[in-house]
Amino acid sequence: MGNLRGKLLPPALAIVFSMLLCGLALVISGANPLSAFGAMVTQVGKGTTLVDIINSTGIYYIAALAVAIGFQMNLFNIGVEGQYRVAAVVAAVVGGSIALPPGIHTLVIIIVGALAGAAWAAIPAILKVTRGVNEVISTIMMNGLAIGFSAYLIRRDVFGELRGNNIRTPEIPSSGWMPGISFGGSGTMFGFLFVAVALGIGYWIMMNRTRFGFELRASGESSTAASAGGVNAKKMVLVSMLLSGAIAGLIGLPEMLGRDHTFSLNFTAGIGFSGIAIALLGRNHPGGIAFGALLWAFLDKSGLALDNVGVPREIVTIMQGSIVLSVVVAYEVVRRVELAAEQRRVGRELGTVGGAA
Amino acid sequence: MSSSTSVRTDDPPAVVLTGITKRFPGVVANSDVHLTVRRGEVHALCGENGAGKSTLMKILYGMQAPDEGTIEVNGEQVRFRTPSDAIKAGIGMVHQHFMLADNLTVQENVVLGAEALHGIGQKARKRIIELSGRTGLNVDPGVLVEQLGVADRQRVEILKVLYRGAKVIILDEPTAVLVPQEVNELFDTVRGMQEQGYTFLFISHKLDEVRAIADSVTVIRRGTTVGSADPKTVSSRQLAEMMVGSELPSPETRESTVTDKVVLDVKGLKLMTPDGSRPILDDVDLVVRSGEVVGIAGVEGNGQTELVETIMGMRKAGSGTITLLDKDLTKLGTLARREAGIGYVPEDRHRHGLLLTQPLWYNRILGYQTRKPAAKGIWLDTDGAKKDTERIVSEFDVRTPGIDVPAAALSGGNQQKLVVGRELSGNPVLLIASHPTRGVDVGAQALIWDEIKRARAAGLAVLLISADLDELIGLSDTIKVMLRGRLVADADPNTVTPEDLGSAMTGAGSTSAAVHETAVVEEGEN
């Protein structure tokens, strides 16, 4: 009861606080915050917005899971952004150049994506384990390399082809697509969302029920206690980084397998960074991350309506930023209050038990 | 014996605490504490760890405000909001852990924060030299603190409070960091200063020392003062029983259970500093047999921590072999060594023993994540872990409302009982216990001693590292003295005294037949 309150109160407070902050920003810029928020809410029912939000939620969810695995052991994989970009190009190139029966073709593309993401993440992992290179710095640099590397791979003299005025990889044959659920005029939900749900369940089982999850959490909680308890720190860095990269490698696939069937210059960028914020928002918990991803997707998609009421759409970015900031602060405050309360409770219960100790 | 001539009874007392009450989350608070310290006396405040001594001194030193009660200094009621209020009233505190900047000189350390008194130049220097005579500190104020030994550092701490005008000096566990010989020097200093009119509040749980130095003793138990005693007539045992409120535990083991079955065999173990400049462990040979407790004595920082961590596989030895029951552990990792049958009670339970924000049952898994009852294959067995945590909680008397509370919510003694209980489960063949009773209350101490004795009788081999020489002598079957990374002497726990061990630990050489030197230590620069 108190536990649940401790989990739900901080994000709720943070959202209210950031709405107030954005409202203030809107008032200062001369707009009416109520009509702005109203426009965002009513937008959900219009056109394909609802399905877009759900699709987007799934993509953000995968991204945040990838980040959260590293966060569990205080490993900051900032490189999810680069990992999913490279993985998407490689998966698109492989998927577009092989012919396999339906189903198997899709599966191969997924596996290739995961492997490519893991391979891209392996470089900073190995650097950290062998040379102690800080993963934050190396993954950020790998992000820069990923942009160049993916641009190189889709050059026309490498794997790319010119279609209209867009450069893209050869289209994946329909045997490699993943069918979605169509809602007619309201859009089509990606079939990959089920993979996202499965990943969330798998993540929860791994963190709470397996030895690996225990070692990951122990390393994050106290690296010294973990090492005294026999957890091999280097192995944990390597494995969790590879796992994080493998999941990151799946981020580009919902759109690719369900809609685009190719990697082109229109590729959606920036999801890896959103994943960092969402993992923070969801406290690395699969349920919390789902909620964070949904909120993020809602803000993204219904923020498009703001232009209609004459409010700059960028206000959404301010809101996202302030939510993350306030959530981090709120969790820390609640954590301290709860620990003190717990100590008081234990003290009180033992005080009544009595006995010289 | 202490000189009672300088104690003046007709003046108003130096310090009177009346009805001090402090409520505090989770730990034993002070309730209705009364304490009267006469001017010019050495007044000892005794109590076990966690009894509330530190809280009381923090209140007197203005670091915390009491919820109820009054403080009088020299007959006047005062209210301290910060330590500087207390300093103004002439109360100074020497903390157990020194608060000195190693890379500054004695003078700079003393003047730091009190520049307004005598400046930072010649005037300050003159004052420091004048005061250092009173503390028995015979070094130039321009010497760097890093060049001083522990005892002199302590004098610098005393000097700091004198410089700020303290007349009443609180010494918080001042002997914890000293070897017996240094303790005697400290006591000489205290007596000398007492004759010059200074008043001391001496906080300790070492009763022999209290009886040797104090003019009067106040005992505190479970947050409240339970009485006073005359140190000249009371025995250590009586005092201890006042502290605990019941019969006393003793580390003494009865008969020897040592067998000739070698459990741990360490040969030629070497470990270099990270930069490779000098050895931390230098050719250590060590054998622990089934049913034997081998104690390692040594001043902290002579390689005991590193020895344990190397045996546990947390540090990588440069050379040498480690064998456990004919199994070569040298190349194995920490987990494999634990699985081979080593239980490990680390010296710092917060850093190395527990996941503080996790529930007790989750902590049960740590170190056992591959074994029953905490795991089945790659899966955690949370039910098994919870059930076994219940067992530990009841068998080891861990005082907790349940196994779902975070480890941080327990007191130090109960945390330690949980760690010891965990490390003794799964039938280990060797237990490595580093300072197993440091910072725990007497009740937990007795229980931990009993459990170690019981496991020893059942054939467990124990490697014990402790700074508590009584504990070491009482529990061990064999004592080895560690100095600068080498095992330099063996001592017979049946005949050796803490003083003998003390001299061997400082490298002063053997002073008794009970200590046999096994290696000659070259005088190095370290």
Side-chain angles (χ1 to χ4, degrees), chain A residues 311-342:
Chain A
V311 172
R313 213 191 326 165
E314 284 66 30
I315 200 80
V316 163
T317 314
I318 298 180
M319 196 184 271
Q320 289 175 333
S322 57
I323 287 176
V324 170
L325 215 56
S326 9
V327 157
V328 171
V329 173
Y331 270 117
E332 184 58 22
V333 169
V334 169
R335 190 188 68 81
R336 289 189 189 177
V337 169
E338 292 220 317
L339 185 64
E342 187 72 11

Side-chain angles (χ1 to χ4, degrees), chain B residues 243-451:
Chain B
M243 269 166 57
V244 187
S246 61
E247 288 268 314
L248 258 201
S250 124
E252 234 66 11
T253 44
R254 295 287 166 263
E255 66 264 10
S256 171
T257 56
V258 183
T259 63
D260 51 8
K261 182 171 142 204
V262 173
V263 173
L264 176 72
D265 191 358
V266 174
K267 279 205 181 78
L269 200 63
K270 270 198 179 178
L271 180 74
M272 302 298 283
T273 50
D275 59 9
S277 61
R278 63 184 180 86
I280 302 174
L281 294 178
D282 193 358
D283 216 9
V284 172
D285 292 317
L286 182 68
V287 169
V288 187
R289 294 177 178 81
S290 175
E292 180 184 36
V293 177
V294 173
I296 307 276
V299 178
E300 275 181 50
N302 275 282
Q304 303 94 313
T305 306
E306 289 81 2
L307 174 65
V308 166
E309 293 184 357
T310 310
I311 295 176
M312 282 311 295
M314 294 156 68
R315 290 171 188 260
K316 219 166 154 358
S319 62
T321 59
I322 300 165
T323 315
L324 187 78
L325 287 179
D326 300 325
K327 184 176 180 187
D328 186 5
L329 299 184
T330 316
K331 292 202 165 51
L332 297 182
T334 305
L335 188 65
R337 295 183 191 205
R338 280 176 159 277
E339 286 168 346
I342 304 184
Y344 173 40
V345 179
E347 66 176 71
D348 185 339
R349 58 182 163 268
H350 287 175
R351 269 173 61 77
H352 289 113
L354 293 167
L355 304 170
L356 286 171
T357 65
Q358 299 291 343
L360 303 189
W361 65 266
Y362 204 75
N363 275 284
R364 170 66 182 85
I365 305 173
L366 188 66
Y368 295 80
Q369 58 268 37
T370 52
R371 277 180 280 171
K372 282 184 179 177
K376 285 179 184 154
I378 66 158
W379 302 102
L380 293 184
D381 182 354
T382 49
D383 290 334
K386 284 179 183 172
K387 232 174 98 187
D388 203 57
T389 310
E390 298 278 10
R391 175 189 66 81
I392 293 174
V393 164
S394 71
E395 278 183 22
F396 288 78
D397 189 29
V398 180
R399 307 263 166 100
T400 169
I403 59 168
D404 288 316
V405 301
L410 299 191
S411 73
N414 284 310
Q415 288 176 346
Q416 189 73 351
K417 285 189 277 189
L418 180 73
V419 171
V420 171
R422 179 182 73 198
E423 299 302 331
L424 282 176
S425 36
N427 293 321
V429 292
L430 171 72
L431 178 73
I432 300 180
S434 274
H435 307 282
T437 62
R438 173 180 281 178
V440 308
D441 54 85
V442 173
Q445 187 178 42
L447 185 132
I448 290 167
W449 283 341
D450 282 346
E451 291 295 338

